[in-house]
């Protein structure tokens, strides 16, 4: 994805918008800012990216972009755009101090946790499958034993009747 970057403070933009008009308008504007999305953090530094729509994507679809700080963000391609066209998006910038390294460590730990969770879920699924197979085998064995016991009882009854006939006759 092609992008260019620049940073600026949203503080001046937000305060300028709220200063227009009288007190009522300022309160109304502040309320609108709190209620509507996207929400802005006063004084936050943002990064503006110019994103080229990848081949095969059109407006309304999601695209994942890499910010200069190494973070990834999912953004929606604006309606009416198609492959090769560009659009601009503004994202909250990552930490400017040494916490970028800490953030990278946390991402590695998170990915390791996700990997472990996937392995655990796969192992649990294998265990469930094996347990279900054992239950099916047990049911089949019980059915076989019941049939075997019924056959033996019939044989015993037939032999008992035969013995009674032989003794009587």
């Amino acid at each position: 994805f092609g992008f260019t970057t620049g940073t600026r403070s949203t503080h001046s933009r937000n305060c300028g918008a709220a200063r227009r008009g009288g007190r009522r308008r300022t309160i109304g504007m502040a309320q609108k800012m709190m209620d509507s999305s996207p929400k802005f953090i006063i004084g936050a530094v943002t990064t503006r990216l110019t994103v080229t729509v990848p081949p095969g994507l059109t407006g309304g679809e999601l695209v994942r972009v890499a910010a200069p700080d190494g973070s990834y963000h999912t953004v929606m391609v604006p309606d009416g755009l198609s492959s090769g066209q560009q659009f601009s998006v503004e994202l909250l910038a990552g930490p400017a101090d040494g916490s970028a390294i800490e953030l990278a460590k946390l991402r590695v730990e998170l990915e390791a946790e996700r990997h472990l969770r996937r392995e655990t879920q796969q192992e649990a699924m294998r265990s469930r499958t094996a347990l279900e197979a054992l239950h099916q085998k047990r049911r089949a064995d019980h059915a076989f034993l019941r049939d075997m016991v019924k056959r033996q009882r019939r044989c015993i009854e037939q032999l008992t009747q035969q013995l009674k006939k032989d003794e009587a006759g």
Side-chain angles (χ1 to χ4, degrees):
F1 307 108
F3 60 86
T4 58
T5 63
T7 58
R8 68 185 176 112
S9 170
T10 57
H11 180 270
S12 59
R13 183 176 71 187
N14 289 341
C15 288
R19 270 191 228 127
R20 283 186 237 123
R23 181 172 168 74
R24 285 186 187 166
R25 180 161 181 170
T26 302
I27 293 171
M29 185 62 140
Q31 185 63 36
K32 276 186 185 176
M33 288 171 58
M34 288 192 302
D35 292 342
S36 66
S37 60
K39 300 202 183 312
F40 294 101
I41 300 171
I42 294 178
V45 175
T46 60
T47 300
R48 180 169 295 281
L49 301 177
T50 300
V51 181
T52 301
V53 180
L57 292 184
T58 59
E61 295 183 279
L62 297 177
V63 63
R64 191 164 184 201
V65 296
D69 66 357
S71 63
Y72 288 89
H73 303 270
T74 302
V75 296
M76 185 176 293
V77 176
D79 289 333
L81 295 184
S82 59
S83 306
Q85 293 182 309
Q86 293 185 333
F87 65 97
S88 186
V89 65
E90 194 166 330
L91 306 168
L92 284 176
D97 57 4
S99 62
I101 294 171
E102 188 64 30
L103 183 62
K105 287 179 184 176
L106 289 173
R107 284 189 179 133
V108 168
E109 287 178 20
L110 178 62
E111 188 56 38
E113 288 288 332
R114 286 178 179 159
H115 181 72
L116 182 61
R117 181 179 298 149
R118 279 191 299 271
E119 284 182 349
T120 303
Q121 288 171 341
Q122 290 171 351
E123 181 62 31
M125 184 59 78
R126 285 191 293 270
S127 296
R128 276 189 226 115
T129 303
L131 185 61
E132 182 58 34
L134 286 173
H135 282 295
Q136 288 177 352
K137 171 106 172 78
R138 182 176 169 232
R139 286 191 289 271
D141 288 349
H142 278 247
F144 176 77
L145 289 174
R146 279 193 300 272
D147 288 344
M148 187 84 111
V149 168
K150 285 179 185 177
R151 287 184 201 153
Q152 287 177 348
R153 283 186 181 153
R154 275 187 250 145
C155 285
I156 290 171
E157 286 176 14
Q158 288 174 355
L159 289 173
T160 304
Q161 289 174 357
Q162 186 66 34
L163 279 173
K164 286 182 183 178
K165 283 184 187 177
D166 289 345
E167 286 177 2

